[in-house]
Amino acid sequence: MKIVFATNNLNKLAEIKQLMPEGIDILSLKDINCLEELPETSDTLEDNAAQKAFYVFDNYGHNCFADDTGLEIDALDGRPGVFSARYAGPECIAEDNIQMILGEMKGEMNRDAVFRTIISLVIDGNEFQFQGEVEGQIIPEKWGEMGFGYDPIFLPDGYEKSFAQMSMKEKGAISHRGIAVKKLIQFFKKRVKQHS
């Protein structure tokens, strides 16, 4: 079964490909020649994920899934949330976002945060959504070189390593995206069984 993952983020693509079961072939946007920016104009993760998945299905005719992820920090009233990718501005890179968060969190005692991923899957025009979340803390400085995005400053509850200190496999087993993807995979497995 071929399905498009609506992302240009090669890290996300690699992370998801290694979690997928046999028989599910993941295509990237580049593989289907979709080179334009996908719409993400909503103020919820759920709607943004759906917008992207339906855009690919409606314009390219491929079954597709898209995700949207937000880091929701208690002390910042849930920010950056849906604006996580461009928190420090439209042209920012991950490091700018990290520095902005660390600046805003200086001296803050409540460091509780939740990483949340919503996956929207569109198959033959029908949508299914899957959510994964992981609770943790924002640490005051960066730990680790691996991962991407806010991984170096997110310490998941019950662990002594930040996401950026974990291998892709370790992180995939417990992360918000990993949890949402596991639900997606269960869905695929059930579907494959029904059609075999």
Side-chain angles (χ1 to χ4, degrees), residues 4-171:
V4 175
F5 178 24
T7 186
N8 288 310
N9 183 323
L10 296 178
N11 291 307
K12 274 191 196 179
L13 205 58
E15 209 173 86
I16 279 200
K17 271 185 173 176
Q18 62 123 33
L19 295 169
M20 278 294 161
E22 287 282 301
I24 302 282
D25 192 12
I26 302 288
L27 303 174
S28 69
L29 291 173
K30 207 169 155 192
D31 292 333
I32 62 164
N33 225 8
C34 172
L35 306 174
E36 64 267 33
E37 192 77 15
L38 298 184
E40 275 185 280
T41 55
S42 172
D43 55 7
T44 70
L45 299 175
E46 288 81 357
D47 287 350
N48 273 345
Q51 261 187 346
K52 291 187 281 189
F54 273 111
Y55 183 88
V56 171
F57 181 78
D58 292 340
N59 292 281
Y60 290 86
H62 287 279
N63 290 333
C64 175
F65 66 93
D67 76 323
D68 202 20
T69 293
L71 175 62
E72 298 167 354
I73 302 172
D74 274 16
L76 302 181
D77 299 322
R79 290 194 320 274
V82 76
F83 304 109
S84 292
R86 297 181 182 84
Y87 191 49
E91 302 301 315
C92 70
I93 57 169
E95 182 61 26
D96 303 331
N97 289 331
I98 286 174
Q99 291 311 323
M100 186 155 166
I101 294 288
L102 291 179
E104 290 185 322
M105 292 292 285
K106 230 183 188 68
E108 179 57 59
M109 297 307 289
N110 173 10
R111 307 198 70 90
D112 293 352
V114 175
F115 245 135
R116 209 158 63 85
T117 290
I118 300 290
I119 292 177
S120 167
L121 169 67
V122 175
I123 292 188
D124 303 332
N126 299 309
E127 188 202 12
F128 308 88
Q129 284 201 340
F130 310 91
Q131 172 172 292
E133 59 178 60
V134 62
E135 296 182 359
Q137 305 286 313
I138 299 300
I139 44 183
E141 59 185 22
K142 295 194 324 182
W143 291 2
E145 299 295 321
M146 292 182 284
F148 55 96
Y150 296 98
D151 287 356
I153 58 168
F154 186 80
L155 180 68
D157 286 351
Y159 291 83
E160 289 173 9
K161 287 191 210 176
S162 78
F163 272 169
Q165 291 174 305
M166 296 181 180
S167 69
M168 201 185 277
K169 198 172 178 185
E170 276 179 293
K171 181 188 162 192

